[in-house]
Amino acid sequence: MTPFRKLTFIHTVAALEPVFASLACERLPDWELEAVTDESLLSRTIARGRVDQDVFDCLARHIEQANSNGSSAIIVTCSTLGEAVDALARRTVTPLYRIDRGMAENAVRRATTIGVLATLGTTLEPTIRLLEATAHQAGRQCTFVSRLCGDAFSILKSGDRVQHDMLVGQAFEDLSRDVELVVLAQASMARALDQGGRNKTYLTSPELGMDYIAGQIRLSRL
């Protein structure tokens, strides 16, 4: 009999829930899935310009609740919260994962000049720090070139996806001229490039993140 195992996702964007559910079903088909969505974690971070103690504590409560509900593993899908996830993972018994580590490891293996594209400054900086730390740990000499597409996120929140996608696409084309590959700091940006028929290299966190986490789960024999 297959042992009971529950994977809990903590989302800050409701639209990503079915995306990750599909990816998890493909990679961990025997696991029960649960999702918690709290968009205020991201909105408060954007408003305050950083992950403050209030947001950190709220995320910690969601993780504690997932623990008490019998989760075998927990994934936070918001890259903005990645450093908070790392801090909380050190004091959480249940394995806790940030979604962007697999993307970072893939990026530093594949290239030495890497662009980092974001529509939120609160996501751009932690993504760069993760990439720098990952390159250092891997013994790779990498150069990172960042680009903030600052108006795109507010435009997307207003409902104008067409304009958002156009801005992201333009920023990607500009940045990709100077680097070997581009890392998209937010999963919400991928659609803009997927629809453009581009053959230039870019990486996103959902699939690479789930590949990495599923591999870690198998290694730990959860």
Side-chain angles (χ1 to χ4, degrees), residues 43-61:
S43 62
R44 283 183 284 170
T45 299
I46 295 169
R48 298 165 188 176
R50 61 189 179 90
V51 178
D52 64 8
Q53 191 64 45
D54 176 50
V55 171
F56 185 94
D57 291 343
C58 187
L59 177 61
R61 287 192 293 273

Side-chain angles (χ1 to χ4, degrees), residues 49-134:
R50 61 189 179 90
V51 178
D52 64 8
Q53 191 64 45
D54 176 50
V55 171
F56 185 94
D57 291 343
C58 187
L59 177 61
R61 287 192 293 273
H62 285 306
I63 292 166
E64 289 168 5
Q65 186 63 46
N67 282 331
S68 66
N69 287 344
S71 298
S72 305
I74 304 166
I75 301 173
V76 178
T77 62
C78 179
S79 296
T80 296
L81 303 177
E83 291 174 331
V85 175
D86 283 342
L88 288 165
R90 291 191 285 270
R91 68 188 206 196
T92 303
V93 175
T94 302
L96 173 64
Y97 302 98
R98 60 187 291 176
I99 195 60
D100 48 1
R101 190 169 299 282
M103 178 179 68
E105 293 200 359
N106 191 287
V108 303
R109 284 197 304 268
R110 294 178 59 174
T112 56
T113 56
I114 300 168
V116 186
L117 182 61
T119 61
L120 287 172
T122 52
T123 312
L124 182 62
E125 294 304 321
T127 301
I128 292 171
R129 289 192 289 269
L130 172 63
L131 286 162
E132 290 173 340
T134 303

